Amino acid sequence: MAISNRSTGEALLFLTDEQLRQGIEAMFFAYRGFTADPDRILDKHGYGRAHHRAIHFINCVPGTTVNNLLHILGVTKQSLNRVLRSLIEDGLVEVQVGQKDRRERHLYLTETGQSLEQELSNAQRARMRSAYRDVGADAVSGFRQVLEAMMDPEMKRAYWKLRDNEGMDK
Amino acid sequence: MAISNRSTGEALLFLTDEQLRQGIEAMFFAYRGFTADPDRILDKHGYGRAHHRAIHFINCVPGTTVNNLLHILGVTKQSLNRVLRSLIEDGLVEVQVGQKDRRERHLYLTETGQSLEQELSNAQRARMRSAYRDVGADAVSGFRQVLEAMMDPEMKRAYWKLRDNEGMDK
DNA sequence: TTGGAATGTCAACAACACTGACATAAAATG
DNA sequence: CATTTTATGTCAGTGTTGTTGACATTCCAA
């Protein structure tokens, strides 16, 4: 291939340690912004980020099992269980014992749960929308490409699986 | 408003709720990948993410004060102090009383501290470099733009301040 | 039917964030 | 010089979220 010497000298400047360090710091600060709005809302209701994640993915895949959720969230079942218990007690999540396999618990948001989910995702989407609008479609495309390339292969599969699910619903 | 139908119908397709939701999930999964490698290394040494953040920014701004670090990291002094104490006890961070203002404590990484910082940032940069290389310079530019647009204004200032610091050193 | 695998629950513990109260030291201000 | 403000550190208590370990339930297959 006729890649010139200029490639390493100039075209790949975005791969310098300094550029990478800036990317790392950008991720750190941006993630703080990313979670700031939901955190405030959750705090009002006495919940934390763990509750948000559970609510988000139960809303995204209604009827998902505890085990499925476990793999998506990447925590232990005991950790998830504590969160689920409080959400169930508070009437935000409904449990249905599996019909085919009665070991499984299928999870659904109640109306109250859906209402909180809306409140949370509206806030988070508002910030995301504002950022997207500021930078334009091309930058957004690059953003998504880099994020996907940064995921662990396993997480990438989970991510695509969720995208496919939603695709079918629509 | 004279926004044409095409704007809402086609050109702004990347601003749909579904696109935004995918962006939100991409952030979630990508951040997991982003922290996975350092987390493994930290665990070996008996440290957590809080230690990593402190080490990172002390390395980035050597001689920074406790108060300065507090604002960058966005935690309470009690929380930071716990982390700093263990890093100092273990000989990774050195403290110098300020010459001009002797209330201030200036923080530096020792050789041991720099060594761990290298280990951590090498791992994190490796993943970032791999992702960057996969997608190319244009996508990286978009990635950085979106992240910056997502930050809180205060965090954006901190981010730029750090970039300027580094710019002077080089 | 019995033993193993899958699934979910309860209890206890550790890390790390928070608040609040207080102490010390030094700088700044009157 | 007395007072206030600033920077830092510490102690105690609390909450969220992660972990392990132990155990119950259910399903399936030998």
Short mmCIF file of all heavy atoms in Angstrom, two decimals, chain B residues 65-67 77-78 81 85 103 105, chain D residues 5-13:
data_model
loop_
_atom_site.label_atom_id
_atom_site.label_comp_id
_atom_site.label_asym_id
_atom_site.label_seq_id
_atom_site.Cartn_x
_atom_site.Cartn_y
_atom_site.Cartn_z
N THR B 65 -2.90 21.77 44.53
CA THR B 65 -3.29 21.75 45.94
C THR B 65 -4.49 20.83 46.14
O THR B 65 -5.17 20.44 45.19
CB THR B 65 -3.69 23.15 46.41
OG1 THR B 65 -4.82 23.58 45.67
CG2 THR B 65 -2.55 24.13 46.23
N VAL B 66 -4.74 20.50 47.39
CA VAL B 66 -5.87 19.65 47.73
C VAL B 66 -7.16 20.30 47.26
O VAL B 66 -8.03 19.65 46.66
CB VAL B 66 -5.92 19.41 49.25
CG1 VAL B 66 -7.19 18.68 49.64
CG2 VAL B 66 -4.71 18.62 49.69
N ASN B 67 -7.27 21.59 47.52
CA ASN B 67 -8.49 22.31 47.17
C ASN B 67 -8.75 22.29 45.66
O ASN B 67 -9.88 22.09 45.21
CB ASN B 67 -8.37 23.75 47.66
CG ASN B 67 -9.71 24.31 48.07
OD1 ASN B 67 -10.65 23.56 48.33
ND2 ASN B 67 -9.80 25.62 48.12
N LYS B 77 -14.09 16.98 50.58
CA LYS B 77 -12.72 16.88 51.07
C LYS B 77 -12.53 15.64 51.93
O LYS B 77 -11.48 15.03 51.93
CB LYS B 77 -12.34 18.13 51.87
CG LYS B 77 -13.20 18.36 53.09
CD LYS B 77 -12.77 19.59 53.87
CE LYS B 77 -13.69 19.81 55.06
NZ LYS B 77 -13.29 20.93 55.89
N GLN B 78 -13.60 15.24 52.64
CA GLN B 78 -13.52 14.04 53.46
C GLN B 78 -13.29 12.81 52.61
O GLN B 78 -12.52 11.91 52.95
CB GLN B 78 -14.79 13.85 54.28
CG GLN B 78 -15.06 14.92 55.31
CD GLN B 78 -15.90 16.05 54.77
OE1 GLN B 78 -15.83 16.35 53.60
NE2 GLN B 78 -16.70 16.68 55.62
N ASN B 81 -9.82 13.06 51.09
CA ASN B 81 -8.78 12.90 52.11
C ASN B 81 -8.51 11.43 52.41
O ASN B 81 -7.37 11.03 52.61
CB ASN B 81 -9.21 13.62 53.38
CG ASN B 81 -8.04 13.79 54.33
OD1 ASN B 81 -7.94 13.09 55.31
ND2 ASN B 81 -7.14 14.71 54.02
N ARG B 85 -4.84 10.00 51.89
CA ARG B 85 -4.12 9.48 53.05
C ARG B 85 -3.48 8.13 52.72
O ARG B 85 -2.33 7.89 53.01
CB ARG B 85 -5.08 9.34 54.23
CG ARG B 85 -4.39 9.44 55.58
CD ARG B 85 -5.37 9.15 56.70
NE ARG B 85 -6.65 9.85 56.51
CZ ARG B 85 -7.74 9.59 57.22
NH1 ARG B 85 -7.72 8.65 58.14
NH2 ARG B 85 -8.85 10.26 56.99
N ARG B 103 -0.55 27.24 54.30
CA ARG B 103 -1.72 26.40 54.55
C ARG B 103 -1.88 25.36 53.46
O ARG B 103 -2.41 24.28 53.67
CB ARG B 103 -2.99 27.27 54.58
CG ARG B 103 -3.12 28.15 55.77
CD ARG B 103 -4.30 29.08 55.61
NE ARG B 103 -4.20 29.87 54.38
CZ ARG B 103 -5.07 30.81 54.05
NH1 ARG B 103 -6.12 31.05 54.82
NH2 ARG B 103 -4.92 31.51 52.95
N ARG B 105 -1.27 22.51 50.69
CA ARG B 105 -0.45 21.31 50.53
C ARG B 105 -0.35 21.01 49.05
O ARG B 105 -1.36 20.81 48.39
CB ARG B 105 -1.11 20.11 51.24
CG ARG B 105 -1.41 20.33 52.71
CD ARG B 105 -0.13 20.52 53.51
NE ARG B 105 -0.33 21.49 54.59
CZ ARG B 105 -0.68 21.18 55.82
NH1 ARG B 105 -0.88 19.94 56.14
NH2 ARG B 105 -0.81 22.12 56.74
P DT D 5 -16.12 36.36 58.00
OP1 DT D 5 -17.11 37.12 57.22
OP2 DT D 5 -16.55 35.29 58.93
"O5'" DT D 5 -15.05 35.75 56.98
"C5'" DT D 5 -14.19 36.63 56.27
"C4'" DT D 5 -13.08 35.83 55.60
"O4'" DT D 5 -12.11 35.41 56.59
"C3'" DT D 5 -13.58 34.57 54.90
"O3'" DT D 5 -13.09 34.60 53.58
"C2'" DT D 5 -13.00 33.42 55.74
"C1'" DT D 5 -11.74 34.07 56.32
N1 DT D 5 -11.23 33.50 57.60
C2 DT D 5 -9.90 33.17 57.69
O2 DT D 5 -9.11 33.30 56.76
N3 DT D 5 -9.51 32.67 58.91
C4 DT D 5 -10.30 32.48 60.02
O4 DT D 5 -9.83 32.03 61.06
C5 DT D 5 -11.69 32.84 59.87
C7 DT D 5 -12.64 32.67 61.00
C6 DT D 5 -12.08 33.33 58.67
P DT D 6 -13.44 33.45 52.51
OP1 DT D 6 -13.54 34.06 51.17
OP2 DT D 6 -14.57 32.65 53.06
"O5'" DT D 6 -12.14 32.55 52.54
"C5'" DT D 6 -10.87 33.17 52.33
"C4'" DT D 6 -9.78 32.11 52.43
"O4'" DT D 6 -9.54 31.79 53.82
"C3'" DT D 6 -10.12 30.80 51.73
"O3'" DT D 6 -9.01 30.46 50.92
"C2'" DT D 6 -10.36 29.82 52.87
"C1'" DT D 6 -9.43 30.39 53.95
N1 DT D 6 -9.78 30.07 55.38
C2 DT D 6 -8.77 29.68 56.23
O2 DT D 6 -7.60 29.56 55.87
N3 DT D 6 -9.17 29.44 57.51
C4 DT D 6 -10.44 29.54 58.03
O4 DT D 6 -10.67 29.29 59.20
C5 DT D 6 -11.45 29.96 57.09
C7 DT D 6 -12.87 30.10 57.53
C6 DT D 6 -11.07 30.21 55.81
P DA D 7 -9.03 29.22 49.93
OP1 DA D 7 -8.22 29.56 48.75
OP2 DA D 7 -10.43 28.76 49.79
"O5'" DA D 7 -8.23 28.14 50.77
"C5'" DA D 7 -6.87 28.35 51.07
"C4'" DA D 7 -6.32 27.13 51.76
"O4'" DA D 7 -6.76 27.13 53.14
"C3'" DA D 7 -6.81 25.80 51.16
"O3'" DA D 7 -5.67 25.00 50.89
"C2'" DA D 7 -7.73 25.21 52.23
"C1'" DA D 7 -7.20 25.84 53.50
N9 DA D 7 -8.20 26.02 54.55
C8 DA D 7 -9.49 26.49 54.41
N7 DA D 7 -10.15 26.56 55.55
C5 DA D 7 -9.24 26.10 56.49
C6 DA D 7 -9.33 25.93 57.88
N6 DA D 7 -10.42 26.21 58.59
N1 DA D 7 -8.24 25.46 58.53
C2 DA D 7 -7.14 25.18 57.81
N3 DA D 7 -6.94 25.31 56.50
C4 DA D 7 -8.04 25.77 55.89
P DT D 8 -5.83 23.55 50.26
OP1 DT D 8 -4.55 23.25 49.57
OP2 DT D 8 -7.11 23.46 49.55
"O5'" DT D 8 -5.90 22.65 51.57
"C5'" DT D 8 -4.81 22.69 52.48
"C4'" DT D 8 -5.18 21.97 53.75
"O4'" DT D 8 -6.28 22.61 54.41
"C3'" DT D 8 -5.62 20.51 53.60
"O3'" DT D 8 -4.52 19.68 53.81
"C2'" DT D 8 -6.74 20.34 54.64
"C1'" DT D 8 -6.75 21.68 55.35
N1 DT D 8 -8.09 22.12 55.83
C2 DT D 8 -8.34 22.11 57.17
O2 DT D 8 -7.51 21.76 58.00
N3 DT D 8 -9.59 22.51 57.54
C4 DT D 8 -10.60 22.93 56.68
O4 DT D 8 -11.68 23.27 57.14
C5 DT D 8 -10.29 22.91 55.29
C7 DT D 8 -11.32 23.33 54.27
C6 DT D 8 -9.05 22.51 54.92
P DG D 9 -4.66 18.08 53.74
OP1 DG D 9 -3.31 17.53 53.63
OP2 DG D 9 -5.69 17.77 52.75
"O5'" DG D 9 -5.24 17.68 55.18
"C5'" DG D 9 -4.49 17.99 56.34
"C4'" DG D 9 -5.26 17.55 57.57
"O4'" DG D 9 -6.42 18.40 57.73
"C3'" DG D 9 -5.79 16.11 57.51
"O3'" DG D 9 -5.29 15.39 58.62
"C2'" DG D 9 -7.30 16.25 57.56
"C1'" DG D 9 -7.48 17.60 58.21
N9 DG D 9 -8.73 18.28 57.86
C8 DG D 9 -9.15 18.66 56.61
N7 DG D 9 -10.32 19.25 56.62
C5 DG D 9 -10.69 19.25 57.96
C6 DG D 9 -11.85 19.74 58.60
O6 DG D 9 -12.83 20.30 58.09
N1 DG D 9 -11.83 19.53 59.98
C2 DG D 9 -10.79 18.93 60.65
N2 DG D 9 -10.93 18.80 61.96
N3 DG D 9 -9.69 18.46 60.07
C4 DG D 9 -9.72 18.66 58.74
P DT D 10 -5.54 13.81 58.69
OP1 DT D 10 -4.34 13.21 59.31
OP2 DT D 10 -6.05 13.31 57.41
"O5'" DT D 10 -6.74 13.75 59.75
"C5'" DT D 10 -6.63 14.48 60.96
"C4'" DT D 10 -7.91 14.32 61.77
"O4'" DT D 10 -8.94 15.21 61.24
"C3'" DT D 10 -8.51 12.91 61.74
"O3'" DT D 10 -8.72 12.48 63.07
"C2'" DT D 10 -9.84 13.09 61.00
"C1'" DT D 10 -10.16 14.53 61.30
N1 DT D 10 -11.07 15.19 60.33
C2 DT D 10 -12.21 15.81 60.78
O2 DT D 10 -12.53 15.83 61.95
N3 DT D 10 -12.98 16.39 59.81
C4 DT D 10 -12.72 16.42 58.45
O4 DT D 10 -13.48 16.98 57.67
C5 DT D 10 -11.51 15.75 58.04
C7 DT D 10 -11.13 15.74 56.59
C6 DT D 10 -10.74 15.18 58.98
P DC D 11 -8.93 10.91 63.38
OP1 DC D 11 -7.99 10.55 64.46
OP2 DC D 11 -8.94 10.14 62.12
"O5'" DC D 11 -10.40 10.91 63.98
"C5'" DC D 11 -10.76 11.89 64.96
"C4'" DC D 11 -12.27 11.87 65.19
"O4'" DC D 11 -12.90 12.71 64.21
"C3'" DC D 11 -12.88 10.48 65.04
"O3'" DC D 11 -13.72 10.21 66.15
"C2'" DC D 11 -13.67 10.56 63.75
"C1'" DC D 11 -14.00 12.03 63.66
N1 DC D 11 -14.18 12.52 62.26
C2 DC D 11 -15.29 13.30 61.92
O2 DC D 11 -16.11 13.58 62.80
N3 DC D 11 -15.43 13.72 60.65
C4 DC D 11 -14.51 13.40 59.73
N4 DC D 11 -14.69 13.85 58.48
C5 DC D 11 -13.38 12.61 60.05
C6 DC D 11 -13.24 12.19 61.31
P DA D 12 -14.28 8.70 66.33
OP1 DA D 12 -14.08 8.35 67.76
OP2 DA D 12 -13.76 7.82 65.27
"O5'" DA D 12 -15.83 8.95 66.06
"C5'" DA D 12 -16.44 10.20 66.44
"C4'" DA D 12 -17.83 10.27 65.86
"O4'" DA D 12 -17.78 10.91 64.56
"C3'" DA D 12 -18.47 8.89 65.63
"O3'" DA D 12 -19.81 8.93 66.10
"C2'" DA D 12 -18.39 8.71 64.12
"C1'" DA D 12 -18.53 10.15 63.64
N9 DA D 12 -17.99 10.40 62.31
C8 DA D 12 -16.81 9.95 61.79
N7 DA D 12 -16.60 10.33 60.55
C5 DA D 12 -17.72 11.07 60.22
C6 DA D 12 -18.10 11.76 59.06
N6 DA D 12 -17.36 11.80 57.95
N1 DA D 12 -19.28 12.40 59.08
C2 DA D 12 -20.03 12.36 60.18
N3 DA D 12 -19.77 11.75 61.35
C4 DA D 12 -18.58 11.12 61.30
P DG D 13 -20.69 7.57 66.08
OP1 DG D 13 -21.48 7.58 67.32
OP2 DG D 13 -19.82 6.43 65.74
"O5'" DG D 13 -21.69 7.84 64.85
"C5'" DG D 13 -22.42 9.06 64.82
"C4'" DG D 13 -23.18 9.15 63.51
"O4'" DG D 13 -22.25 9.49 62.44
"C3'" DG D 13 -23.85 7.83 63.08
"O3'" DG D 13 -25.19 8.11 62.70
"C2'" DG D 13 -23.01 7.37 61.91
"C1'" DG D 13 -22.55 8.69 61.32
N9 DG D 13 -21.35 8.57 60.49
C8 DG D 13 -20.18 7.91 60.78
N7 DG D 13 -19.30 7.97 59.81
C5 DG D 13 -19.93 8.71 58.82
C6 DG D 13 -19.49 9.10 57.54
O6 DG D 13 -18.42 8.87 56.99
N1 DG D 13 -20.46 9.84 56.86
C2 DG D 13 -21.69 10.16 57.36
N2 DG D 13 -22.49 10.87 56.57
N3 DG D 13 -22.12 9.81 58.56
C4 DG D 13 -21.19 9.08 59.24
#
